[in-house]
Amino acid sequence: MCSSDLHFTFDRNGLQIQSLNATAGRSQLNASGVQVDFRKLRANGNYDLKIDLAEASAIARQPQIKSGLLRLTGKGSWSPEDFASTGDFDVRDLAWQNKTFNGHDFSARGMFSVDPRQVSISKAQGQFLRGSFVADADVVNWQSPEKAAKSQQQRGIMVIKARNLALTELLGGLGRSFRPVNQLQFSGNVSGATDVQWRQSISDAEARVVADIVPPATTPGHRIPLTAKIHGDYDFRSGGVQLSEFSASTASTQIQASGALASAVKIDRKSVV
């Protein structure tokens, strides 16, 4: 169901929109102070946009998104030659499912800016996997096709710092490609940093991960408390994992490993009696 309410004035020079309220399904747009210059073909104004992500994903034929609400508040400008927008974003109750990870109860808020060349997210803070995180991201040439010339290729970088993520939730959310790792019964709190960089497409990204795992204050009887330190790289395209350092211990076992999980891994296992 769609509805709208518009209040405006106009003259030979342009259009002034005092308020615009539009609703489509469970999404809503509120705009105010919009100025449209007929002579220069320019427009600018303020907006408050709420998007039901499940509805939007169904329209875009991206069924991976199962639920969530995105709110964007800010100001923007447009002309045939250029556009720009800056403001704040707020994501609530996001859930998704794909071959890599099944996530739910994701929330985040922060600042954003976008223009024809660059998209930036800054000062993002959120909750996920019963823990918290902060993040920043920049994507240059974000509109470039995958086969663009080298100087015009998309380039992106994302830095995420997490604290006290639940290891049980993380392992349980891993997709089928991570079997049998996603079936491990370890328990712990994960803190660390991830640096993701790519060219052409985020599907070609490489992630560098540094993380520490400490046992939780209490552990269910069927879970095994884990202490671990991980330094590694993950290749998004191949799914390969390269460990430069991995050490883990439980009450009865210690493991040290390094190497590529896709081929040979050097493991030193010790049992503690």
Side-chain angles (χ1 to χ4, degrees):
M1 181 177 179
C2 299
S3 63
S4 63
D5 181 37
L6 175 64
H7 297 272
F8 68 94
T9 60
F10 71 93
D11 54 32
R12 64 180 181 178
N13 296 321
L15 175 70
Q16 297 81 43
I17 299 176
Q18 286 79 40
S19 65
L20 167 64
N21 302 308
T23 301
R26 293 189 293 270
S27 298
Q28 184 176 17
L29 169 64
N30 297 316
S32 63
V34 178
Q35 305 288 329
V36 182
D37 190 323
F38 292 156
R39 295 175 301 172
K40 298 181 180 180
L41 291 179
R42 292 181 179 176
N44 61 79
N46 306 309
Y47 60 86
D48 183 347
L49 176 62
K50 299 176 182 178
I51 303 174
D52 185 286
L53 295 175
E55 285 186 345
S57 298
I59 294 172
R61 298 182 179 180
Q62 298 293 328
Q64 300 94 329
I65 303 297
K66 303 302 180 181
S67 66
L69 177 67
L70 170 62
R71 183 176 184 180
L72 302 173
T73 57
K75 58 183 180 180
S77 60
W78 174 90
S79 73
E81 298 81 23
D82 197 12
F83 65 87
S85 181
T86 60
D88 300 320
F89 72 89
D90 189 351
V91 181
R92 300 286 181 91
D93 302 321
L94 176 63
W96 73 95
Q97 182 177 356
N98 56 35
K99 65 180 182 179
T100 303
F101 196 83
N102 302 331
H104 58 88
D105 296 331
F106 176 99
S107 64
R109 61 174 55 192
M111 303 171 65
F112 75 91
S113 65
V114 58
D115 59 40
R117 182 173 179 270
Q118 185 168 352
V119 176
S120 297
I121 293 175
S122 60
K123 299 180 179 179
Q125 303 180 51
Q127 291 76 45
F128 187 47
L129 300 175
R130 301 182 186 178
S132 62
F133 68 90
V134 296
D136 294 278
D138 283 291
V139 183
V140 179
N141 298 329
W142 63 276
Q143 299 187 90
S144 295
E146 289 192 12
K147 296 184 179 180
K150 187 173 182 179
S151 61
Q152 297 299 316
Q153 286 180 352
Q154 183 184 122
R155 304 190 307 277
I157 182 170
M158 184 183 339
V159 178
I160 305 169
K161 297 180 180 180
R163 182 177 176 83
N164 291 332
L165 305 184
L167 180 60
T168 53
E169 299 276 338
L170 176 61
L171 293 173
L174 293 174
R176 290 177 296 177
S177 59
F178 287 92
R179 288 180 179 174
V181 175
N182 58 1
Q183 299 174 351
L184 296 174
Q185 298 297 307
F186 292 125
S187 179
N189 294 325
V190 183
S191 298
T194 302
D195 185 329
V196 183
Q197 298 189 37
W198 69 89
R199 280 184 173 272
Q200 288 192 329
S201 170
I202 193 171
S203 61
D204 299 323
E206 293 184 355
R208 176 157 294 180
V209 179
V210 178
D212 291 296
I213 303 173
V214 297
T218 60
T219 303
H222 66 288
R223 297 284 181 178
I224 303 171
L226 180 70
T227 300
K229 181 181 292 291
I230 303 167
H231 290 191
D233 297 286
Y234 174 69
D235 189 306
F236 279 48
R237 176 170 289 277
S238 68
V241 177
Q242 179 74 38
L243 294 175
S244 55
E245 178 185 356
F246 176 81
S247 60
S249 62
T250 67
S252 59
T253 304
Q254 295 180 354
I255 295 177
Q256 293 185 335
S258 62
L261 293 186
S263 54
V265 181
K266 181 179 179 181
I267 299 177
D268 182 10
R269 178 181 181 277
K270 298 179 181 179
S271 296
V272 179
V273 180

